[in-house]
Amino acid sequence: QVQLVESGGGLVQAGESLRLSCAASGNRVGLDTMGWYRHAPGKQRELVALISRSSSTNYADSMDGRFTITRDNAKGTVYLQMNSLQPEDTAVYYCYAVWYGRDYWGKGTLVTVSS
C-alpha cells in the first residue's frame, strides 16, 4: 500500500509564511491526484487545493490566492506554500492522494496562526 506523511506545520504569527510537505512512501506507482484539505474545530473539513499528475491545479476560493500547491512526481511528494497566513487559517492540514483509484489520507499536521 501507500503511506502519506505530512510535515512542516507549526506556530506562526499572522502575515508569515509556511510550507507543508507530504511524502508518499511504499508503492508510489499508482499515485494520481494529490492535494490538501484542512479541518478546524467546529467546522467541516474543506478543500484547500488539488494537483493532478500533470500539475494542473485547482484551488478553493476561500484560499484567496495566498496558497500554492506543487508536486514532485519522482519523489512522490506534494507541497503547499502558504503565504500571508491569518488566524482563520488555523487548522489541521491533511494530505490527500488518489492511489490506484482510491482515496488515501495522511494523519495531518497542525498549523496555528496567532495574531
Side-chain angles (χ1 to χ4, degrees):
Q1 295 196 175
V2 67
Q3 298 283 116
L4 304 176
V5 181
E6 304 98 332
S7 62
L11 173 65
V12 297
Q13 293 278 102
E16 294 182 343
S17 299
L18 210 56
R19 190 179 79 153
L20 305 182
S21 298
C22 172
S25 62
N27 185 357
R28 300 192 295 269
V29 175
L31 284 174
D32 198 349
T33 296
M34 300 184 75
W36 295 90
Y37 287 72
R38 67 185 184 185
H39 194 188
K43 298 182 179 180
Q44 293 183 315
R45 180 177 296 195
E46 66 174 345
L47 172 70
V48 176
L50 295 172
I51 184 166
S52 73
R53 209 168 210 287
S54 61
S55 293
S56 177
T57 58
N58 187 25
Y59 296 92
D61 290 341
S62 59
M63 303 305 113
D64 199 27
R66 297 177 294 114
F67 293 3
T68 301
I69 188 170
T70 56
R71 69 185 290 167
D72 185 329
N73 289 331
K75 296 180 178 179
T77 302
V78 63
Y79 306 93
L80 184 68
Q81 178 67 44
M82 305 185 293
N83 298 326
S84 301
L85 285 164
Q86 301 298 312
E88 56 264 34
D89 296 317
T90 295
V92 177
Y93 285 71
Y94 293 92
C95 181
Y96 165 82
V98 179
W99 184 73
Y100 288 109
R102 296 184 179 274
D103 297 342
Y104 286 81
W105 299 90
K107 293 188 177 296
T109 184
L110 178 63
V111 173
T112 303
V113 185
S114 65
S115 59

